[in-house]
Amino acid sequence: MQLSPNQLQQHLQRGLKPLYTLHGDEPLLVQEFADALRGAAREQGYTERTVHTVAGAHFDWSEVLASGGSLSLFADKQIIEIRIPSGKPGKDGSVALQQIAERSQGDDSTLTLVLLPRLDSMAAKGAWFSALESFGTTVKFDPIDRRTLPAWIAQRLQQQGQRVADGEEGQRTLQFFADRVEGNLLAAHQEIQKLGLLYPPGTGDASAVLSFDQVENAVLNVARYDVFKLSEAVLGGQALRVQRMLDGLQSEGESEVLVHWALAEDIRSMKRVKGALSAGRPMPMALRENRVWGVKEKLFERVLPQIGETTLANLLHAAHKVDGIVKGLKQPDWPADGWQALHRLAGMVCRECAAPMAPSRGSRRPTGDARP
C-alpha cells in the first residue's frame, strides 16, 4: 500500500501497520515521518528497538532475520529498523527483504521500518521492493522544489506560531527566504527554528509577524545547488536564479566540465527533438525517442515551439566553444575564464527559453529563429 506523507495523521488514527518502507530524497521529511511512527509505536507498547545499517556487499542478513523472531525478556513488542543508505540490498538482501515482508503479515509484536534513499527505476521494479510494497506500507518523499518552497516555509512558520506580513511584502519575504535555503531542506528547518527563538510568537492566538528585515538579518545563506536543478532553471528561463545557482556551484567547487556537460546536453537534446518534430514526429513520440522525461518533458513542450532550428544550431556552436574554454583553450570574443563563459552560455539558453513577451499592438514577433 502506498501512503502520501501528508496522510500520516489520518493513518496513525487508524492504527499502525507491521511494515513500513520510507524512501526519497529529503532526509528531513523521512526523519520526521520515521520519528512520528516511532513515537506512535512507543505509545502502543513497542519498547525495544534494534537498528541495522546495511553497509557493503558482504553484510550479514542472518542477524536481521533472527532479530525479527526474537524478543528480550523485558519487551512484549519491538521495532526493527533496517537502513540501506545505498538503496541496493544486494542478492542476499533481496531474498531477506522478501522473507521479512512476507513474515510481517499479522505480526503484532514487531514493527519493521525500512529506510531507503531515492530509488532508481530498476530498484523500484526489483522483487524485494515489490514485496515491501505488496505486504507493507510504502511512503515516497519527493523533493520540495523551488516553486513550492515558499509555501512550505510559510506552513512551517505557521506551525510554530509565526507568519510573514500579508500581501506583496510577505511574498517578497518568503521568496527571499527560499533563495537562501534552496536545495538544503534540513538547513531550512534549522533557520525556521532559529526564527522561532529570535522572534517568539505571542500568547494565546496571537502570531509573531516577521518583517522582511528580520528574516534578512537572521536567515543565513545555506542554499545548495546541483547541476540538474540548474538545467531545469535554464530551461525554465529563470535568469536571476540561474546566475545565482552558477555562483553557488562555483563557490561549492563544482566541476566546470560537469556544468558545461549539463548545459550542452540540454542543447543537443532540444536540437534532436526539434529535428524529429520537423520530420513530422508528434511531440510525445519525439520526446520519448530522445529519452526526455519528467520535468524536462514539460519544459521542452513549452520552449521548443518558440525556438527555431537556426537558433539551436547557434547555441550548439556556442556550447562547443565553451567546451574548449573550460578545458583551457581560448576562444575569440569569449571570456577566458570558464565560469564567466558558462554564465554567458547559460544566459543565452535562458533567454531563448524564457516565456515570450506579448507583442505590442501593431507588431508581430517573428517565429522560428534567434531574437536580436
Side-chain angles (χ1 to χ4, degrees):
M1 179 183 76
Q2 295 185 357
L3 183 70
S4 171
N6 57 19
Q7 295 175 323
L8 174 62
Q9 294 304 320
Q10 296 177 353
H11 175 76
L12 292 179
Q13 291 174 1
R14 295 193 294 267
L16 288 169
K17 302 297 182 181
L19 173 63
Y20 290 90
T21 303
L22 313 184
H23 62 106
D25 271 334
E26 294 292 1
L28 171 69
L29 302 182
V30 173
Q31 175 184 316
E32 290 179 339
F33 199 101
D35 285 344
L37 289 177
R38 296 185 196 105
R42 283 193 295 270
E43 292 178 357
Q44 297 181 31
Y46 291 82
T47 56
E48 191 170 282
R49 178 181 171 218
T50 306
V51 179
H52 303 276
T53 301
V54 179
H58 303 291
F59 179 78
D60 185 6
W61 283 89
S62 60
E63 184 178 348
V64 183
L65 292 169
S67 63
S70 61
L71 282 167
S72 72
L73 297 175
F74 306 101
D76 295 325
K77 296 181 178 181
Q78 64 174 341
I79 302 173
I80 296 178
E81 204 164 301
I82 306 171
R83 302 180 179 180
I84 312 176
S86 68
K88 302 182 184 300
K91 183 177 179 180
D92 293 341
S94 176
V95 175
L97 287 171
Q98 291 177 67
Q99 294 178 12
I100 290 168
E102 294 175 6
R103 196 171 62 187
S104 69
Q105 298 305 289
D107 188 350
D108 296 330
S109 63
T110 301
L111 171 66
T112 302
L113 182 59
V114 182
L115 302 178
L116 297 159
R118 181 179 65 86
L119 300 177
D120 57 32
S121 57
M122 184 174 296
K125 295 175 182 177
W128 61 273
F129 188 75
S130 296
L132 293 174
E133 276 194 311
S134 298
F135 293 103
T137 301
T138 60
V139 189
K140 181 182 179 183
F141 296 85
D142 292 318
I144 305 296
D145 63 28
R146 180 59 181 78
R147 291 180 299 104
T148 58
L149 185 55
W152 184 86
I153 293 170
Q155 181 185 34
R156 291 295 174 117
L157 289 172
Q158 186 178 22
Q159 289 176 0
Q160 63 185 28
Q162 293 177 302
R163 63 181 178 87
V164 297
D166 295 330
E168 185 176 341
E169 181 187 349
Q171 292 303 312
R172 175 170 168 250
T173 302
L174 291 174
Q175 292 294 340
F176 172 83
F177 200 147
D179 287 343
R180 287 287 183 100
V181 299
E182 180 181 358
N184 197 346
L185 206 63
L186 183 58
H189 172 66
Q190 293 170 342
E191 293 300 310
I192 290 169
Q193 289 183 315
K194 181 170 70 176
L195 286 171
L197 296 173
L198 291 173
Y199 311 108
T203 58
D205 295 331
S207 297
V209 179
L210 300 170
S211 69
F212 178 85
D213 290 340
Q214 287 174 323
V215 172
E216 183 181 32
N217 292 331
V219 177
L220 298 175
N221 188 354
V222 291
R224 295 291 180 269
Y225 305 113
D226 64 63
V227 293
F228 303 105
K229 292 297 182 184
L230 170 68
S231 175
E232 293 175 10
V234 170
L235 292 172
Q238 301 169 340
L240 292 177
R241 184 181 176 214
V242 166
Q243 301 306 315
R244 187 171 61 248
M245 294 178 82
L246 283 169
D247 289 339
L249 288 167
Q250 181 180 4
S251 66
E252 292 168 18
E254 186 58 86
S255 166
E256 298 173 20
V257 174
L258 179 59
V259 175
H260 171 266
W261 173 85
L263 294 173
E265 183 61 23
D266 283 340
I267 296 171
R268 286 191 289 267
S269 294
M270 285 194 291
K271 194 172 188 310
R272 288 194 296 266
V273 174
K274 190 73 174 181
L277 293 174
S278 299
R281 288 277 202 281
M283 178 73 81
M285 182 182 296
L287 292 171
R288 186 168 59 251
E289 289 175 347
N290 288 280
R291 305 180 66 81
V292 179
W293 322 106
V295 176
K296 284 191 179 182
E297 182 178 4
K298 296 179 180 179
L299 291 169
F300 272 45
E301 289 175 346
R302 183 184 67 81
V303 303
L304 280 177
Q306 70 189 44
I307 303 179
E309 292 191 48
T310 302
T311 297
L312 289 171
N314 292 337
L315 290 175
L316 192 60
H317 182 64
H320 178 70
K321 288 188 174 183
V322 179
D323 178 57
I325 294 172
V326 298
K327 294 176 181 176
L329 302 178
K330 292 184 178 181
Q331 299 288 352
D333 303 322
W334 277 83
D337 178 78
W339 283 104
Q340 290 182 19
L342 288 169
H343 272 273
R344 180 171 168 182
L345 176 62
M348 292 170 63
V349 182
C350 200
R351 282 193 296 274
E352 297 301 331
C353 292
M357 295 178 61
S360 59
R361 182 176 299 179
S363 66
R364 295 180 62 188
R365 175 184 156 190
T367 59
D369 285 314
R371 310 172 184 81

